């Protein structure tokens, strides 16, 4: 009887399939049962759009709901090419890097071309947003950017090298930045003003 039991156990061991995941059972997936060798996908290089970015403000915002407090981060970013184009964007996300990325994408969508007169602006202009008021004046060559707060990075990224700016009212970064953007968007050249009035520009 003992000999018959031994024969049965040997027969069952022969018919039993090999266990999965055994290091000797490759299964066509490599020498040690790992994943097949696949060519690594190279990362595509990011396109250099030639834009410079400056983060104006990062703050934490809270929305109170029935379920509790929802905490997010808000970022304001200015984007410019240094050749007369500038844009301002705001983004919100659960983490700061994603909020900045959203703000950059929003700023790119809001970019516009400024009418410049060389390295300065063609005329005086007043920009307003909320309780913020800014007076932007052209300046002579070599004056530089005489401005502070959120106005300074906007002028530098837009390519304005000689300008003076005075702010009144609210000094909040976002309000002040939107007031500067409002003023720059209303600048007009001599030719544009003459076309609006139906006149011709006389060359001296």
């Amino acid at each position: 009887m003992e000999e018959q039991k031994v024969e049965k156990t040997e027969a069952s061991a022969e018919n039993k399939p090999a266990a999965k995941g055994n290091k000797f059972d490759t299964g066509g997936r490599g020498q040690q049962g790992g994943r097949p060798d696949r060519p690594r996908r190279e990362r595509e290089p990011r396109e250099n759009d030639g834009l410079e970015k400056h983060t104006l403000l990062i703050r934490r915002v809270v929305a109170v709901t029935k379920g509790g407090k929802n905490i997010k981060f808000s970022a304001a970013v200015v984007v410019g090419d240094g050749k007369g184009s500038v844009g301002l964007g705001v983004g919100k996300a659960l983490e700061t890097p994603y909020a900045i990325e959203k703000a950059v994408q929003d700023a790119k969508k809001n970019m516009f071309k400024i009418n410049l007169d060389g390295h300065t602006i063609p005329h005086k202009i007043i920009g307003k947003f909320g309780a913020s008021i800014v007076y932007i004046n052209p300046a002579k060559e070599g004056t530089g950017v005489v401005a502070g707060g959120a106005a300074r990075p906007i002028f530098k990224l837009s390519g304005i090298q000689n300008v003076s700016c005075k702010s009144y009212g609210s000094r909040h970064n976002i309000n002040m930045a939107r007031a500067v953007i409002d003023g720059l968007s209303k600048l007009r050249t001599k030719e544009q003003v003459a076309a609006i009035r139906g006149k011709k520009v006389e060359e001296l």
Side-chain angles (χ1 to χ4, degrees), residues 18 62 88 115 117 163-164 169:
V62 179
L88 174 66
N115 296 311
D117 185 9
V163 68
S164 64

Side-chain angles (χ1 to χ4, degrees), residues 48-169:
N48 185 10
D49 49 12
L51 298 177
E52 297 182 6
K53 308 169 186 64
H54 180 84
T55 304
L56 292 177
L57 178 68
I58 297 176
R59 59 178 180 172
R60 190 179 70 168
V61 293
V62 179
V64 181
T65 61
K66 289 184 178 180
K69 295 181 179 181
N70 296 331
I71 300 175
K72 291 185 178 181
F73 291 92
S74 175
V77 178
V78 179
V79 174
D81 60 355
K83 300 178 182 178
S85 295
V86 70
L88 174 66
V90 179
K92 290 182 182 179
L94 297 176
E95 296 181 6
T96 304
Y98 297 107
I100 295 175
E101 185 177 353
K102 284 185 177 181
V104 170
Q105 297 299 327
D106 186 42
K108 289 181 180 179
K109 293 179 182 179
N110 298 331
M111 286 187 70
F112 65 96
K113 190 71 175 177
I114 302 173
N115 296 311
L116 299 179
D117 185 9
H119 297 300
T120 186
I121 58 177
H123 56 83
K124 298 179 181 180
I125 196 69
I126 299 175
K128 297 181 181 180
F129 183 84
S132 296
I133 303 174
V134 293
Y135 291 84
I136 308 173
N137 302 317
K140 296 181 180 180
E141 191 70 24
T143 303
V145 178
V146 183
R152 189 176 187 84
I154 294 176
F155 292 139
K156 288 197 170 185
L157 293 182
S158 61
I160 302 175
Q161 301 178 7
N162 303 290
V163 68
S164 64
C165 178
K166 182 65 177 177
S167 61
Y168 297 92

